[in-house]
Amino acid sequence: ECCRISDTLMKTWIVLLLWACAHQSVNAVALSRGPVRRKTKEIEGRQDKDLLRRSKRGWMWRQFFLQEEYTGTEHQYIGKLHSDMDKGDGTVMYVLAGDGAGTIFVIDSNSGDLHATRSLDREEKPFYTLRAQVVNKKTGLPLEPETEFTVKLHDINDNEPKFDKEVYTASVPERSHIGTYVTQVTAQDADDEMFGYSAKLSYSISQGHPYFSVEPNTGIIRTALGPSDMDREQREHYQVVIEVKDMAGQKGGLTGTTTVNISLTDVNDNPPRFMQSIYQFSVPEITKVESSVGRIRAVDADVGRNAEMDYTVVGGDGLDVFDVSTDRNTQEGILSLKKPLDYEKKKSYTLQIQVQNTHPDPRFLSSDAKDMATIRVSVEDVNEPPHFEKISYILEVKEDAAVGTMIGSVSAVDPDIRRSPVKYSIDRHTDVDWIFGVYVGNGSIFLQRPLDREEFAWHNISVIATEFNNPEQTSRVPVYIRVLDVNDNPPMLASFYETFVCENAKAGQKIQTISAVDPDDPVGGHRFLFSLAPESSVRANFSLRDNGDNTAGIFTQRTGFGRMHKSTHLVAVVISDGHIPMQSSTGTGTLTIRVCTCDRDGNMEMCNAEALSSAAGLSTGALVAILLCILILLLIVVLFAALKRQKKKEPLIISKEDVRDNVVSYNDEGGGEEDTQAFDIGALRHPEVMEESKLRRDILPSESLYPPPPLRKTLVPSRENADVRNFINQRVQENDGNPTAPPYDSLATYAYEGNGSVAESLSSLGSMSSEGEQDYNYLSEWGPRFRKLADMYGGEDSDWDS
């Protein structure tokens, strides 16, 4: 192995020497300009030649090579620069400029030796461009132009290869053949791929045998086993470790690794299988059509689209009663009902169900890859409500049918085996006017009120059938009753006609075309007959001509009409419908014809007021009635306003006999104890008290203005009220001596009656007899606020007795 490495290095150095010799004449540079000037003069002397020849100059390498990652202690020698101008007498000096000059690269100014001062990394910077020049030591002037050269770094294998990704993810279909492409991994080496084998990479697999392999030169990963060994249902995920090594994989090369996670994708290579061979379901007989009866399940080892399956009913005695479909979310078979069930007719069913893949793959599965299962369905008996023979009934009745007439009947039976009897009734929410009735026992529907087709041509009711033995079992059926027409309405004019005749009208002139309407609906359509009433035929001014198309024309019988003589004419028209029984009308067929002034073309210009009011349909009596209604409304408004003005206020004091027993209502609520601006409470105080102390009532009094009074001695009228007296004295002293007490107009409540108080009612009505027995003189000792109270109740001759 060492011999092979030595041979390789020897070959490399021989190639470099040959390459350097081949380019020596091009890369050498003369550092002297003297020969250039001489040769230039010789060229100028030759007039017959225009070929320029390069002068011979001193040689200097255009490129120098330096090994990277130098580990020596001394400066690394690169090469020597020399010029023809250097005669060895020490008069010239070499100067270096360019990339790293003076720091990385230094030159001996006398000898031209070039050195590197530190170790360099080719991957950081592969080459450096420098410039050299020869100058005179004494004058510093350049002796020749600058010459540019390059220092290239020789690469060594100091970088390990690295993959583009730390982790690769790939997939390959299961059941793939040997050599199927999976993915490709690539690595990069920062070393120089043009020099040696430092960047020559080789791939190998270190983990993943024997399922996968990798191509050494390209990094392509392929399957290494056959279809039977690559089964997703057995193993789905694989982790493969790929190793890359430089130096073409030789010993001593640097390595790098990456992980490739490979998954086997699914193919449809497994058919669905039922989880059990027999399924059993039970379903009530009242189950609605298209309802779900149950679910069956088959499993498929594949996933996704390859696991989709279809269920089919292929046999059994319930082919026309049941159906099966596939739930695409769960891939379950849903057994549903196609027809109603009847326990009394059939109690059980047997079905044969088949399942197979929706998207079979002929490469892995045959077309007959399917599975079978049996389903047994039991029908449960349920107490069903009565069943009507029809889902709806349509009945007909003439509108002139008498009350009690039988219209038709409905019929319902109990479908259960016991055949419970059924009773009938009408849902009155559908027949609020009670027009129809039904016999409870047989379901016959009869008429309870007269009908009118012109009001309602159809009646929609609901009949309810209920089991006698179980009233909760009910059912209902809609019954549509059509009212047949009877010719019971006379025809009438189609609209109100504003007919007029000109004063200068000629005899036989058509002035109006009329038509009629009839609310009846005869089978063959309407056929109206028009004629004049007898009273309008005698000495008639107008005539009528039936057009035969349910219209008629009104014509004048004479020439000239006088508007001042007679402004309106009433023409009674008889309209008959021509059906059996024939109906005719005259009162509703009266035409009002106005006499108007017209121009030469027959256009109306003016009609009198009487004609206009008549045409509008308002008689004098109607106008008077409208005016009376307006007057009555005005009177009501005036009376209401007068009553509001005459409303009197209640007196402040109703009776003056005894003001003590009266309640005076001021209807005024103040702002509370803190509202001192509402009114002056001083006006309510006794004049004597006002004279003694005229203090402000809207501020808190100070202790200096109103010192607390000394404890007063009171008379003791009796032992029973001593406890109350002591309590009041204590509270009075506390309130008089407290500077933070409420304002003077506040009420201090002493809610205390003492122990064993004999006090009864506090009403003045009940204490009249005891007023003279009390001694109230002691109240005057409690201060000015109680002095007035003592004056009122303490005197023998009270003002209240007068």
Side-chain angles (χ1 to χ4, degrees):
E1 189 69 28
C2 295
C3 294
R4 284 199 300 268
I5 295 174
S6 300
D7 292 341
T8 302
L9 294 176
M10 184 63 69
K11 293 178 181 179
T12 303
W13 283 110
I14 293 173
V15 171
L16 289 175
L17 289 175
L18 292 175
W19 176 78
C21 292
H23 293 80
Q24 182 177 5
S25 59
V26 179
N27 294 332
V29 177
L31 298 179
S32 175
R33 290 186 175 271
V36 175
R37 287 193 292 269
R38 289 194 299 270
K39 289 182 180 289
T40 303
K41 292 180 180 179
E42 293 176 3
I43 293 171
E44 291 176 354
R46 299 175 182 175
Q47 300 295 330
D48 56 342
K49 293 183 180 179
D50 55 2
L51 180 62
L52 297 178
R53 293 185 179 179
R54 195 166 183 174
S55 62
K56 182 179 179 182
R57 310 177 69 178
W59 301 106
M60 186 191 73
W61 291 100
R62 284 283 190 179
Q63 286 186 342
F64 290 93
F65 292 93
L66 179 67
Q67 185 176 357
E68 66 168 337
E69 304 293 348
Y70 175 68
T71 58
T73 58
E74 298 181 354
H75 291 178
Q76 188 177 6
Y77 179 75
I78 300 174
K80 185 180 183 65
L81 300 179
H82 181 72
S83 174
D84 291 343
M85 303 298 295
D86 186 3
K87 305 299 184 181
D89 54 1
T91 58
V92 299
M93 180 176 63
Y94 295 90
V95 179
L96 186 66
D99 294 340
T103 56
I104 300 175
F105 302 100
V106 294
I107 191 171
D108 189 334
S109 60
N110 296 320
S111 64
D113 292 334
L114 184 65
H115 292 82
T117 61
R118 60 182 176 86
S119 176
L120 300 178
D121 187 1
R122 191 199 68 83
E123 286 73 34
E124 180 180 349
K125 190 175 178 66
F127 63 91
Y128 295 83
T129 302
L130 299 172
R131 300 183 305 278
Q133 191 175 33
V134 179
V135 299
N136 190 296
K137 273 187 177 183
K138 295 181 179 180
T139 62
L141 297 176
L143 299 178
E144 59 183 14
E146 283 186 341
T147 301
E148 185 178 271
F149 63 96
T150 302
V151 176
K152 284 190 174 183
L153 298 180
H154 269 311
D155 182 51
I156 64 173
N157 190 16
D158 59 342
N159 291 279
E160 69 276 3
K162 294 182 180 180
F163 283 96
D164 295 342
K165 298 179 182 179
E166 293 183 1
V167 178
Y168 288 82
T169 301
S171 62
V172 63
E174 65 170 330
R175 304 285 183 179
S176 296
H177 295 282
I178 297 177
T180 301
Y181 174 85
V182 178
T183 187
Q184 183 178 11
V185 295
T186 55
Q188 307 295 333
D189 195 322
D191 293 326
D192 189 0
E193 61 182 4
M194 302 299 296
F195 180 79
Y197 293 96
S198 297
K200 183 67 174 178
L201 305 180
S202 177
Y203 299 91
S204 62
I205 184 167
S206 61
Q207 178 182 325
H209 292 294
Y211 303 99
F212 300 95
S213 62
V214 62
E215 294 182 0
N217 297 327
T218 61
I220 295 177
I221 301 174
R222 301 182 183 274
T223 59
L225 295 180
S228 60
D229 297 318
M230 304 296 288
D231 189 0
R232 188 198 65 84
E233 286 72 33
Q234 298 296 325
R235 182 177 178 182
E236 183 176 1
H237 302 289
Y238 297 86
Q239 190 175 70
V240 179
V241 178
I242 302 298
E243 182 182 87
V244 61
K245 192 173 186 180
D246 59 12
M247 298 298 294
Q250 298 177 6
K251 187 175 181 179
L254 303 178
T255 62
T257 60
T258 187
T259 301
V260 182
N261 294 322
I262 302 175
S263 300
L264 298 184
T265 58
D266 185 57
V267 298
N268 195 358
D269 57 343
N270 294 281
R273 300 296 181 191
F274 280 108
M275 300 184 67
Q276 57 193 72
S277 59
I278 298 177
Y279 295 85
Q280 292 185 350
F281 299 102
S282 60
V283 56
E285 61 176 331
I286 60 172
T287 303
K288 296 182 178 180
V289 175
E290 296 183 358
S291 298
S292 175
V293 175
R295 287 175 175 251
I296 57 178
R297 181 176 178 81
V299 294
D300 191 329
D302 297 322
V303 294
R305 187 172 184 269
N306 297 323
E308 294 180 2
M309 59 191 75
D310 293 326
Y311 298 86
T312 311
V313 180
V314 295
D317 56 358
L319 281 171
D320 58 340
V321 180
F322 297 94
D323 192 14
V324 65
S325 59
T326 304
D327 186 342
R328 292 304 175 189
N329 295 323
T330 63
Q331 298 302 318
E332 293 178 321
I334 304 174
L335 187 65
S336 57
L337 193 62
K338 290 172 60 178
K339 290 184 179 180
L341 299 175
D342 191 350
Y343 175 82
E344 288 72 26
K345 294 182 180 180
K346 191 171 180 59
K347 299 178 175 57
S348 64
Y349 296 88
T350 301
L351 304 172
Q352 296 296 324
I353 304 297
Q354 173 185 286
V355 63
Q356 61 182 0
N357 279 125
T358 306
H359 312 286
D361 192 338
R363 298 177 301 170
F364 308 105
L365 292 177
S366 61
S367 59
D368 57 350
K370 58 189 68 173
D371 197 14
M372 302 288 294
T374 301
I375 298 179
R376 295 174 182 173
V377 182
S378 299
V379 181
E380 297 178 352
D381 187 22
V382 177
N383 189 7
E384 301 177 76
H387 286 186
F388 283 95
E389 294 179 352
K390 301 179 181 179
I391 60 175
S392 64
Y393 291 84
I394 299 178
L395 305 178
E396 294 181 348
V397 60
K398 291 186 177 181
E399 63 175 324
D400 61 349
V403 174
T405 301
M406 192 69 60
I407 302 174
S409 63
V410 296
S411 178
V413 294
D414 183 9
D416 298 326
I417 298 177
R418 54 190 172 183
R419 299 296 180 185
S420 175
V422 177
K423 60 181 179 180
Y424 302 90
S425 61
I426 294 178
D427 185 358
R428 291 304 169 185
H429 292 91
T430 61
D431 185 22
V432 294
D433 295 329
W434 291 67
I435 300 175
F436 304 97
V438 63
Y439 289 107
V440 176
N442 58 12
S444 298
I445 300 174
F446 59 91
L447 191 62
Q448 293 188 149
R449 287 191 178 185
L451 300 173
D452 186 3
R453 191 204 65 83
E454 287 71 36
E455 184 178 359
F456 295 105
W458 285 88
H459 294 271
N460 302 329
I461 64 174
S462 293
V463 177
I464 302 173
T466 307
E467 291 185 10
F468 270 103
N469 300 329
N470 189 0
E472 294 182 357
Q473 296 297 330
T474 61
S475 58
R476 60 179 60 218
V477 68
V479 179
Y480 308 105
I481 301 175
R482 179 184 180 186
V483 182
L484 301 178
D485 182 53
V486 175
N487 192 22
D488 57 348
N489 292 283
M492 61 186 68
L493 290 176
S495 63
F496 176 79
Y497 293 97
E498 294 184 359
T499 306
F500 69 93
V501 62
C502 297
E503 289 182 307
N504 56 357
K506 304 296 182 182
Q509 182 177 344
K510 183 178 180 180
I511 61 174
Q512 184 68 57
T513 299
I514 60 176
S515 61
V517 293
D518 191 339
D520 293 325
D521 187 16
V523 178
H526 292 289
R527 175 65 181 93
F528 299 122
L529 304 176
F530 298 88
S531 63
L532 291 178
E535 62 271 18
S536 296
S537 301
V538 180
R539 300 180 62 185
N541 295 317
F542 302 93
S543 62
L544 184 145
R545 183 182 304 167
D546 194 336
N547 298 326
D549 57 354
N550 293 335
T551 62
I554 305 298
F555 296 87
T556 58
Q557 289 265 103
R558 62 186 178 87
T559 301
F561 291 86
R563 182 167 61 89
M564 302 303 296
H565 175 67
K566 188 174 183 180
S567 59
T568 59
H569 297 269
L570 299 178
V571 178
V573 179
V574 178
I575 308 174
S576 302
D577 56 15
H579 297 283
I580 300 175
M582 181 177 291
Q583 299 288 340
S584 62
S585 61
T586 55
T588 57
T590 301
L591 285 175
T592 301
I593 302 176
R594 296 179 292 165
V595 179
C596 302
T597 302
C598 302
D599 57 12
R600 293 182 179 180
D601 297 330
N603 298 320
M604 180 181 64
E605 291 183 346
M606 182 179 63
C607 293
N608 56 10
E610 181 182 356
L612 290 174
S613 64
S614 176
L618 294 177
S619 62
T620 304
L623 294 175
V624 172
I626 293 175
L627 292 176
L628 285 175
C629 292
I630 294 174
L631 289 175
I632 291 172
L633 291 175
L634 290 175
L635 287 175
I636 291 173
V637 174
V638 171
L639 288 175
F640 182 74
L643 288 175
K644 290 190 66 175
R645 289 185 178 181
Q646 292 179 1
K647 185 177 181 180
K648 296 182 178 180
K649 296 183 179 180
E650 295 182 358
L652 183 63
I653 300 177
I654 300 175
S655 175
K656 296 182 180 180
E657 294 181 358
D658 193 355
V659 297
R660 293 176 300 172
D661 297 332
N662 295 331
V663 178
V664 179
S665 176
Y666 293 96
N667 291 328
D668 185 16
E669 295 185 1
E673 296 179 355
E674 298 180 359
D675 185 6
T676 59
Q677 302 298 330
F679 56 88
D680 187 9
I681 195 67
L684 301 179
R685 296 180 53 81
H686 195 273
E688 297 179 1
V689 179
M690 296 293 294
E691 292 297 331
E692 291 182 4
S693 177
K694 296 184 179 180
L695 300 178
R696 292 186 62 182
R697 308 302 180 186
D698 57 345
I699 62 174
L700 185 70
S702 63
E703 296 183 1
S704 61
L705 294 177
Y706 195 78
L711 184 63
R712 298 177 180 85
K713 295 182 179 180
T714 59
L715 297 178
V716 183
S718 63
R719 181 178 297 176
E720 287 75 16
N721 59 4
D723 185 47
V724 177
R725 183 177 65 253
N726 293 335
F727 176 81
I728 294 177
N729 288 335
Q730 182 180 355
R731 291 293 183 267
V732 170
Q733 184 177 1
E734 291 177 357
N735 282 276
D736 288 343
N738 186 7
T740 62
Y744 279 24
D745 56 306
S746 300
L747 176 64
T749 303
Y750 307 113
Y752 185 77
E753 294 185 2
N755 297 325
S757 175
V758 296
E760 295 180 357
S761 174
L762 298 179
S763 174
S764 60
L765 297 177
S767 60
M768 290 293 293
S769 60
S770 62
E771 286 184 357
E773 300 175 2
Q774 300 291 335
D775 185 5
Y776 299 98
N777 293 327
Y778 69 94
L779 296 176
S780 60
E781 301 294 330
W782 290 359
R785 282 176 289 183
F786 291 88
R787 188 175 300 156
K788 180 60 178 176
L789 186 62
D791 293 342
M792 293 176 60
Y793 292 93
E796 296 181 357
D797 297 329
S798 177
D799 296 335
W800 299 102
D801 299 331
S802 59

